Amino acid sequence: MTPFAELLERLVFTPGRLAKTALLRDYFAHTPDPDRGYALAAIAGDLSFVAAKPAMIRQITEERVDPTLFAWSYDYVGDLAETVSLIWPTTAPGTAPRLSEVVAALHDTSKLAMPARVAGWLDVCDPSERLALLKLITGGLRVGASARLAKIALGEMADVPADDIEEVWHGLQPPYLPLFDWLEGRAPKPDAAGAPVFRPTMLAHPLEETDAAALDWAAYRAEWKWDGIRVQLVATARGQRLYTRTAEDISHGFPEILAAMDFQGVLDGELLVMRNGVVAPFGDLQQRLNRKAPGAKMLADFPAAVRLYDILIDGDGDLRALPFDERRVRLEQWYAAHRPERMDLSPLIPFDGPEALAELRLGARAASIEGLMLKRGDSPYLAGRPKGPWWKWKREPLAIDAVLMYAQRGHGRRSSIYSDYTFGLWRDDGVLVPVGKAYSGITDDELNFLDKWVRAHTTARFGPVREVEKALVLEIVFDAAQLSTRHKSGVALRFPRISRIRTDKPAAEADRLDSLMARVPPSGVAKGEALADLES
Amino acid sequence: MVAPHPETWLRVLPQGLFCEPGGFFIDPLRAVERAVISHGHSDHARAGHDAVLATPETLAIMRARMGEGRAGRVQQPLPYHEPITLGGVTMRLVPAGHVLGAAQIVMEWRGSRAVVSGDYKRQRDPTCAAFEPVECDVFVTEATFGFPVFRHPPPEHEIGKLLKSLTLFPDRTHLVGAYSLGKSQRVIALLREAGWDAPIYIHGALASICALYEAQGVRLGDLRPATVAAKDKFRGAIVIAPPAATADRWTRRFNDPVIARASGWMRVRQRAKMAGVELPLIVSDHADWDDLLSTITETRAPEVWVTHGSEEALIHALSLRQIRGRALRLVGYEDEEASEEAPDELASPPPEPGQHLAPLTDAP
C-alpha cells in the first residue's frame, strides 16, 4: 500500500502530463508484481469488487472518534475519506498491507465482515496510506491519471509504443502478469487473437495556409468532418466493443450500437445522435456521453448512430496496409453486404480543384459539420498522426469580443503567471455575465502583457483567482455555441481560445449576450451537464 | 495560605497578557514599557518596546530583523533556566523547541505557577533546544494546529519525499517555500542530516537569519544566493524561499520548477492545492494535535488557557479529559506563515472550524 499511496499523493498534486507519466513510470519500474498490476487496474478503472459505502466508513470512524470533533473536522476538510484518514487514531503497531493483499481480501470479505476488516487496515496505516485505501475501496481515485496515461508510462518504461499495449490490453485481466512479463522481456507478446481489442487510430493534422499552398490536391479525397466523436467499432466472435480514439471503452453507454454490430471486423467512424437521418447538434450527443448506462427514455430521445468512413479489418483480413482508395471500395462493398442498422456511410465529396473545395468549406455552416477532411488516396492506415496523408480543414471559427473578468494563475511552468482567463458578455440590463474560460491561443508576449495587466487592474482576490476591472476586451474564437443550464449565462462555447487582445476597443462596445445566443443552433438543448467536462 | 489562582495575577489587557505583580507583558501586541518575549517571530516580537527581556538568541534575532534601534531600548538577555525575580515573581525561560531561542515563560508567585508556552513543538529539531515540559497550575498554550486532522509525520519522512523527487526529476529546480525564520534553517539542517551536501540556494530574505544561525553554532553547510546570475546552476538544485516568493514572478528564473512548501497546513489537500503546490512537505514548527494533548497532560495543569489557533476544538477535547479550558482570544497572534503567504492566499481565509456553531468560550 505504501508505494501506491505515495504515487497517488504525488499524482494528485502534479499538474503536468509529462511529470505524471514520469511518476507512473517510476512506480511501475520499482514495484513488484502483483501490486503494480492492481495499481494499474485501479487507475484504469478495471478493479471490481463490492465497494464500501461512505456510510460504513463514517460509522466505523464514529465508533473511535468524538462525534463533535469528527463533525468539525469533516466541515474543515470537506472530504470524508481525507477527514477519516487524518483523524483516525493510530492504535496498532505494524505496517500497511500490500495492495495485492487488500484486493484479494476485498474479494473474500463478506459485507458483514467488511467494517472490521477495513478498521483493522486503517489501524496499521499512516494517513496517506489510509487515504489511498479509502479511495480504493469506495471507488474513484480522482488523481488525474487515466488508463491511457498509465499505458504511455508503461510503454516508456519498456521502450514499446503505447499503442502496442492497447492492442493486447483488452485481452488481459488484473494484475496483468503476462503484460509485465512481456514488457520486461520474460515472455512473448500476449496473444490478443480473437479478442475485441482496440487498434491504434490514424489521426489528421490541421491544414494551415502554407500546407494548403503546397498540396497536390488531385491526390486527395474529401469528406465532411462531422461534429461528433471519433469511434472504433470492434466485433469478433468473442464480443463487440465501442472505443473512443483514445481507446476508452464506451460500449456500455451505447447498447443500441453494440446490438447492431452483428458482423466481424473493425470499422472507423463518427458517433452522432441522428433523428431520421438528420445529425443532431453536438449537445445532444453530450447527453449520451454523460451517461454510463442510459435509460429507455434517453435511448429514445437521443438515438445514437455511427457514420462510417474507414474499414481496418474485414473478418480475418487486415486491410490497414491497403491504400485509402482500395479500403474505400472495400468499405462500400462491406456496407452493401451487411447494411447494419444505425450505421451509414460518410459520402466522398467530389470536387474540382482547391477553389471549389474552399467554397464548399465556406458554405459548411450546418451545425453537424465541423469542416472538411482530406485523405490521400494512396495512404495506408497508419497509427498516430503522420503528417501528410490526412488533413482536417476546419471551417472558420466564430468570433466574439468579450470582456476579461477573472484571471487565475496556471500550473507548473505557468504557476507564476495569470494565464487562465474568464471572460463575459453584456446582458440587456447592463450586467456582464461570464460565458467561458480560455487558456490558449496567445503568444508569450501577449501572455506577459495580460499577466501584467491583471496584476495592475486587480479589484478582488479569491484564492488563486483575481477579479479585474471590467476594462479589457479579448477577441475570442470558438467552434460552436450551445445552450447550457449549468452556466449562468445559459450558453457554453466549444474550444474557446483567445485570438487577439483588443486594447483598441472600449469594454462597453464588447458583444452582447444576445448576439451569442443568436448563434446557438436550434434544438440543441443541453440539460444539466456542461461541455467543459469532456473537453477540459 | 492557599496559593492565589493565576487568574488573579495574570490578566488579559488590550496590550496583551500582563503579569501584574511582575509588571511586565508577555509577547505584547503593541509597544509597552516592559516586555518578555518568547521568540523572534514578528507577531510575538513587536518593535518599539522600552525594556525587553528574552533569551540571548531571541534578542539577536530581534536585532537582525528590526534593526538595533527598534528591538527595545534596554535589552536584557536571560539564558535558559536562569531564575530572575521581578516584583516578587520568580521567572525563568525554558526551551520551547519552536525556533532558535524560543522559550516558555515559567512564572511563580506566592506558590502558584503559570507557564506561557509561546509557540512550541515536540518534534526533533536540529536547529534549536528541545521543549521541556514544566508542571504548573495553569498552562497557557498555543493551538495553531488545534484540530484533530493536523498530525504531522516525522520530518525526516517529508525530507525523504523531497530527495526522492529530486531523483525522479533530476533536471527540475526544487523550490521549497519555507518561512524565513526557523523553518528555512530547519529544512536546510534536515537536508544536511539526510546527506544532501550540494550547495543550497537561498532567497535574499533568508540570508541574514541563516548567517545568524550559523553564528549561533547551527551548521547549515554551503548556502548560496539564488540570484539570476546563478541561473545555470539551478538545474536539479534545491532553492529555499519565503512562501510568497514561490508564487511570484521571482520564480521565473527557474526552469520548470517543482514548487514545494514546508508547512503544517500542507496536511490538508485543499490547502496545498489552493497554494499551487506540487510537492507538499508537512514540516511544522508547531505542535500537532496529538502533541498539544500529550504536552498538556505532561504539565499536569488542571487548567489550560488557549491563546490562538483553533481553540474551540482543543477546549472541547480538554473538557472530555476533565481539564478546564479557556480561550484567551488574544487578537493579533497568527500562524507566522500567514505573514509570508502570497497576498492571494491571504485573501481567502481558511474555513473556520465549526463556524456554524456559537463560539465556545470560557466554559466554567
Side-chain angles (χ1 to χ4, degrees), chain B residues 147-326:
Chain B
F147 226 63
V149 296
F150 289 109
R151 301 165 86 194
H152 309 325
E156 298 77 18
H157 178 264
E158 302 301 288
I159 295 298
K161 286 198 321 206
L162 176 59
L163 294 178
K164 163 111 202 260
S165 183
L166 278 152
T167 65
L168 271 172
F169 302 106
D171 288 337
R172 298 174 71 189
T173 307
H174 281 59
L175 178 58
V176 184
Y179 186 71
S180 56
L181 164 57
K183 186 72 63 60
S184 295
Q185 294 75 24
R186 185 177 178 210
V187 167
I188 293 167
L190 288 167
L191 278 165
R192 296 309 185 201
E193 283 188 351
W196 185 262
D197 295 328
I200 293 174
Y201 294 86
I202 58 173
H203 186 276
L206 274 54
S208 66
I209 299 294
C210 286
L212 190 150
Y213 266 60
E214 284 271 2
Q216 297 282 339
V218 180
R219 308 295 297 275
L220 300 178
D222 186 358
L223 303 183
R224 302 188 188 176
T227 53
V228 179
K231 202 169 178 173
D232 53 324
K233 309 233 168 58
F234 295 143
R235 190 170 286 266
I238 296 176
V239 178
I240 317 262
T246 64
D248 194 52
R249 281 176 276 192
W250 182 78
T251 63
R252 293 181 196 172
R253 64 191 66 184
F254 307 113
N255 170 47
D256 190 17
V258 174
I259 307 286
R261 168 93 47 106
S263 164
W265 299 111
M266 296 296 105
R267 178 91 272 181
V268 176
R269 285 191 169 181
Q270 202 51 36
R271 292 287 296 243
K273 286 204 146 183
M274 283 274 285
V277 170
E278 182 169 346
L279 181 62
L281 304 173
I282 307 157
V283 180
S284 176
D285 286 334
H286 294 273
D288 68 1
W289 175 256
D290 295 327
D291 285 346
L292 285 171
L293 290 173
S294 65
T295 301
I296 287 166
T297 308
E298 282 180 77
T299 66
R300 302 171 67 100
E303 183 168 329
V304 171
W305 301 351
V306 185
T307 55
H308 61 291
S310 308
E311 58 262 23
E312 296 94 337
L314 185 60
I315 288 169
H316 176 77
L318 291 176
S319 74
L320 300 175
R321 290 165 172 73
Q322 275 75 49
I323 296 172
R324 182 174 188 250
R326 253 180 80 178

Side-chain angles (χ1 to χ4, degrees), chain A residues 513-524:
Chain A
L513 186 56
D514 290 349
S515 69
L516 179 61
M517 284 298 191
R519 303 188 193 181
V520 176
S523 102

Side-chain angles (χ1 to χ4, degrees), chain A residues 57 81 84-85 118 122 130-139:
Chain A
I57 307 290
V84 172
S85 75
V118 173
L122 293 174
R130 279 183 216 128
L131 185 55
L133 180 79
L134 291 171
K135 291 282 179 194
L136 182 76
I137 65 178
T138 53

